Amino acid sequence: MPRTEHLVGTRALLLAAARDEFAAHGMGGARVGRIAEQAGVSKERIYGYFGSKEKLFAAVISEALTEHATLLGPPSADLAEYAGRIYDLHRSDPQLLRLMMWEALYYDGGLPNEQPRTVRYRDMVATLSEALGSQSGTESGSESDTEAASTLLALIGLAILPTAFPQITRLILGTTADAPGGDDELRAHIVRLARRMVTPSSDALT
């Protein structure tokens, strides 16, 4: 195997093992030794690739977010269904949510790679602003971008809460999304709520 391919393969193994470890234990509880053992390499190899456990954690988050963004795609014309897609993606792979919750607990303030992540969200807000503007017949601008940013945050919150906090789902609904038929029913309700959120008020009254 060429050296370049070997390096890429080893790095991929390390990131996969680290993703499992960080999702299960967070930044503080994760152990480099366990990551190395799962990946089949030495601890020194991890530090050679990434420099520190914290940088490895940042690389894992970055890779997971990129995969998530690729699978999800940009906000679509049907914004309510977009919320459904967010729900589907996190239900099928809750690991990203666990990683981001650990990240929120670990960092107090700025994040590694914060600038490119901010740009990514700004692009999403701009796309959402255009979609909202086309629904209401208004042009996008600073005011509509502010509304779109708040709407995006609300759509994400609505879609991820059942997966992020399954105990709240159980306590409120008396069941879980994993119950027979529960997932489809809950998804449909989330889409209906999202549709009310993004539907212009004049349309909602008709």
Side-chain angles (χ1 to χ4, degrees):
M1 177 186 295
R3 176 173 172 78
T4 301
E5 291 184 13
H6 176 72
L7 292 175
V8 171
T10 302
R11 188 176 190 276
L13 286 173
L14 285 171
L15 284 171
R19 187 182 297 196
D20 290 341
E21 178 73 8
F22 284 126
H25 303 287
M27 175 62 195
R31 295 292 177 263
V32 173
R34 286 197 297 256
I35 295 171
E37 183 178 358
Q38 185 175 338
V41 301
S42 66
K43 290 170 61 175
E44 290 71 21
R45 184 69 64 87
I46 292 178
Y47 292 114
Y49 273 100
F50 300 99
S52 67
K53 186 171 77 165
E54 187 170 281
K55 289 181 180 179
L56 174 58
F57 184 50
V60 166
I61 294 285
S62 179
E63 181 189 60
L65 286 171
T66 298
E67 289 179 8
H68 181 271
T70 300
L71 291 171
L72 181 62
S76 58
D78 189 344
L79 298 176
E81 187 55 36
Y82 180 68
R85 283 162 45 199
I86 297 173
Y87 175 81
D88 291 339
L89 193 52
H90 285 293
R91 287 290 298 152
S92 65
D93 183 10
Q95 199 174 58
L96 174 61
L97 273 180
R98 296 194 187 105
L99 288 168
M100 296 193 74
M101 292 169 77
W102 282 120
E103 180 188 55
L105 289 171
Y106 182 74
Y107 291 103
D108 182 15
L111 301 170
N113 304 317
E114 182 161 332
Q115 182 58 29
R117 289 169 66 174
T118 301
V119 170
R120 180 181 294 168
Y121 280 118
R122 285 176 181 167
D123 290 342
M124 293 173 67
V125 167
T127 302
L128 185 60
S129 180
E130 291 180 7
L132 290 171
S134 65
Q135 285 186 359
S136 61
T138 60
E139 295 184 2
S140 61
S142 59
E143 184 175 350
S144 60
D145 285 352
T146 300
E147 179 186 355
S150 298
T151 300
L152 177 62
L153 184 62
L155 287 173
I156 293 173
L158 180 66
I160 71 173
L161 190 143
T163 303
F165 301 102
Q167 75 277 29
I168 295 178
T169 302
R170 180 180 59 81
L171 291 170
I172 292 176
L173 299 182
T175 184
T176 68
D178 293 318
D183 194 37
D184 292 341
E185 185 176 334
L186 185 54
R187 184 195 191 278
H189 190 64
I190 286 171
V191 170
R192 286 195 299 271
L193 287 176
R195 200 170 303 284
R196 293 179 195 171
M197 286 171 48
V198 301
T199 300
S201 57
S202 59
D203 293 344
L205 296 175
T206 59

